[in-house]
Amino acid sequence: MAGAVAYAYKGRDTAGKVVKGKVDASSEGAVITRLRTMGVQPISISEAAAGTGLQREVSIPGLGDKAVKMKDIAVMSRQMATMIGSGLSLLRTLTILADQVESKRLAKIMGEVRDDVETGVSFSDAVGKHDKDFPPLMINMIKAGEVGGFLDKALESTAENFEKEVALRGTIKSAMTYPVVVLVMSLVAVVVMLLFIVPIFQDMFTNLGGKLPLPTMMLVYASQAMPYVVPVALVLGIVFSIWWRTNKNSVKVRSRLDPLKLKLPVFGVLLRKIAIARFARNFSNMIGAGVPILTALRIVGEVSGNYVLEEALVEVAESVRQGESIAAPLTASGVFPSMVTQMIAVGEDSGSLQTMLEKVADFYDQEVKSTTESLTALIEPLLIAFLGVVVGGMIVALYLPIFQITSLIK
């Protein structure tokens, strides 16, 4: 929190034991309030001296503050739901979380949220100040739970949603790890051979004289170009990574790239299933938390992960605003499979939309899992064959002139 100061305190806990420590707060009054929520009766409070030398915390710009991970938010939401459901006050819960969460950035944020709540700011508004770290779905779920008086249930639903999202990402990551590692290893092997091994063979054959076979000549030309290609490729890679990190979420990039993603062979089907699973799960949770339909449609579009679905849901929201059902504009968008729109239509007619969305989400979670497993089973032999062709082809090209050595020596 801006203006927060470190205070050293001394007090007695509920067992009468003298305890000491430090807390960050905006004033001594805030320190007293926080100590009482911790069950500590303050004896003395003084402003703590700043650390010096090795005791001073060193912060390197760009390295000190890492982004809050989805897994950390899921764990934090689960812990908060449990503590509030057990009867702990919100302030006490935030104090415990600020001291116990593993992520340093999340601990700092929770401390700032706690400070805001202490000064009378609502919990949802305090969390909303950190919209770059907390997803909009979580902020709106907390707001709905706060207004409706079921904050613990809203946090529990948020935790379940994020836990499933983490599991979904884990499934995809584990399936893609092997192919990526094999591709990187094959690329490194090719570069190493071109830079260090091929020149040795080139010198040997040059000393012997004679004309090299065409495959060997192509390999030699590639080796000669490699000292120039590698630095340029590294520079371009660094420039592109910086540009991508800055612009990957821009509308201009997403509007052009996301439609192409969905048209990719094999991978396009997988990406569509992932987006639909995320849409159904988030929409179900937000409806269950009492978030208004139009707000929910806007938010689930933003967090769907694909611009095509986001734009389709914007049009759906506009149709719903004019009094239409949800299923009809979803069908007209052409983005969602008929099974999804039919189940949503049944849910609307029967008053069980949340249940139907949950079933859709579970179905597509399973579809994503089975698709990634099938994709991995398909990619593994293809990658092995690719690696064999590339590296084996280079070795064959290197050894072709050896068959001419006898004639060259004569």
Side-chain angles (χ1 to χ4, degrees), residues 11-28:
R12 292 185 184 276
D13 60 15
T14 53
K17 183 180 178 180
V18 176
V19 293
K20 298 179 181 179
K22 292 182 180 181
V23 295
D24 293 333
S26 56
S27 64
E28 289 190 13

Side-chain angles (χ1 to χ4, degrees), residues 255-335:
S255 62
R256 296 182 179 181
L257 187 61
D258 286 359
L260 297 177
K261 289 180 180 179
L262 297 182
K263 294 178 181 178
L264 289 173
V266 183
F267 289 97
V269 176
L270 176 61
L271 293 173
R272 186 182 294 272
K273 290 178 179 179
I274 292 171
I276 292 174
R278 189 175 287 139
F279 152 75
R281 182 170 53 251
N282 292 339
F283 199 18
S284 172
N285 285 328
M286 298 202 77
I287 291 175
V291 178
I293 293 291
L294 294 177
T295 303
L297 285 170
R298 175 180 59 81
I299 293 171
V300 297
E302 293 175 357
V303 300
S304 65
N306 191 279
Y307 184 80
V308 177
L309 266 73
E310 182 178 340
E311 286 298 294
L313 290 173
V314 169
E315 296 178 2
V316 170
E318 183 61 32
S319 298
V320 171
R321 185 179 288 108
Q322 296 174 6
E324 293 188 31
S325 64
I326 298 174
L330 279 179
T331 304
S333 68
V335 177

Side-chain angles (χ1 to χ4, degrees), residues 341-408:
T341 57
Q342 288 172 8
M343 291 191 71
I344 291 176
V346 171
E348 284 186 295
D349 294 338
S350 61
S352 55
L353 180 58
Q354 181 186 358
T355 303
M356 286 299 179
L357 286 169
E358 288 177 358
K359 293 184 181 298
V360 170
D362 292 340
F363 173 80
Y364 274 95
D365 280 341
Q366 187 60 40
E367 280 287 298
V368 169
K369 184 177 180 181
S370 61
T371 303
T372 51
E373 290 174 353
S374 301
L375 193 60
T376 304
L378 175 65
I379 287 177
E380 287 182 6
L382 291 177
L383 282 176
I384 293 174
F386 171 77
L387 186 59
V389 169
V390 172
V391 178
M394 292 180 67
I395 293 175
V396 170
L398 287 175
Y399 280 90
L400 276 177
I402 291 180
F403 298 112
Q404 301 177 359
I405 288 180
T406 304
S407 61
L408 291 174

Side-chain angles (χ1 to χ4, degrees), residues 15-285:
K17 183 180 178 180
V18 176
V19 293
K20 298 179 181 179
K22 292 182 180 181
V23 295
D24 293 333
S26 56
S27 64
E28 289 190 13
V31 176
I32 295 173
T33 302
R34 187 173 309 161
L35 291 177
R36 287 176 177 170
T37 62
M38 296 167 58
V40 175
Q41 186 63 33
I43 297 174
S44 63
I45 299 173
S46 60
E47 188 171 330
T52 58
L54 295 177
Q55 294 180 334
R56 184 182 297 276
E57 182 178 352
V58 179
S59 178
I60 301 176
L63 296 178
D65 289 341
K66 295 183 179 180
V68 179
K69 297 180 180 179
M70 180 69 71
K71 183 179 179 180
D72 294 328
I73 296 177
V75 173
M76 183 269 292
S77 301
R78 176 66 66 186
Q79 292 173 336
M80 183 175 289
T82 302
M83 286 187 280
I84 292 178
S86 300
L88 267 68
S89 67
L90 177 60
L91 201 56
R92 173 64 172 156
T93 299
L94 293 172
T95 299
I96 294 173
L97 289 173
D99 294 335
Q100 292 185 354
V101 292
E102 295 182 3
S103 169
K104 291 183 179 180
R105 179 168 178 80
L106 185 56
K108 178 183 177 182
I109 292 172
M110 295 309 296
E112 295 175 359
V113 170
R114 174 197 58 199
D115 292 343
D116 285 337
V117 171
E118 277 183 335
T119 59
V121 178
S122 68
F123 181 39
S124 58
D125 288 341
V127 172
K129 292 182 179 180
H130 305 278
D131 54 354
K132 291 184 179 179
D133 295 284
F134 294 122
L137 181 140
M138 180 181 181
I139 297 171
N140 283 272
M141 292 277 280
I142 289 174
K143 184 177 295 184
E146 210 171 25
V147 173
F150 51 90
L151 182 58
D152 57 332
K153 299 296 182 183
L155 286 168
E156 184 176 350
S157 181
T158 302
E160 291 176 357
N161 183 83
F162 290 155
E163 286 165 357
K164 290 182 179 179
E165 179 70 19
V166 170
L168 179 64
R169 293 183 180 183
T171 299
I172 300 168
K173 184 177 179 180
S174 61
M176 293 296 106
T177 298
Y178 176 80
V180 170
V181 170
V182 171
L183 284 175
V184 171
M185 289 178 62
S186 62
L187 180 62
V188 171
V190 168
V191 172
V192 169
M193 290 182 69
L194 290 175
L195 284 176
F196 303 105
I197 298 178
V198 174
I200 296 175
F201 279 80
Q202 180 186 356
D203 294 339
M204 182 179 67
F205 293 132
T206 301
N207 294 332
L208 291 174
K211 185 178 180 181
L212 296 177
L214 179 60
T216 309
M217 288 297 299
M218 294 174 62
L219 206 60
V220 169
Y221 291 146
S223 176
Q224 292 173 345
M226 197 54 58
Y228 306 98
V229 172
V230 170
V232 172
L234 288 175
V235 172
L236 291 177
I238 293 172
V239 171
F240 176 77
S241 63
I242 295 173
W243 178 87
W244 178 253
R245 184 177 299 180
T246 306
N247 298 282
K248 64 179 180 179
N249 293 322
S250 66
V251 174
K252 185 177 181 180
V253 172
R254 293 180 64 222
S255 62
R256 296 182 179 181
L257 187 61
D258 286 359
L260 297 177
K261 289 180 180 179
L262 297 182
K263 294 178 181 178
L264 289 173
V266 183
F267 289 97
V269 176
L270 176 61
L271 293 173
R272 186 182 294 272
K273 290 178 179 179
I274 292 171
I276 292 174
R278 189 175 287 139
F279 152 75
R281 182 170 53 251
N282 292 339
F283 199 18
S284 172
N285 285 328

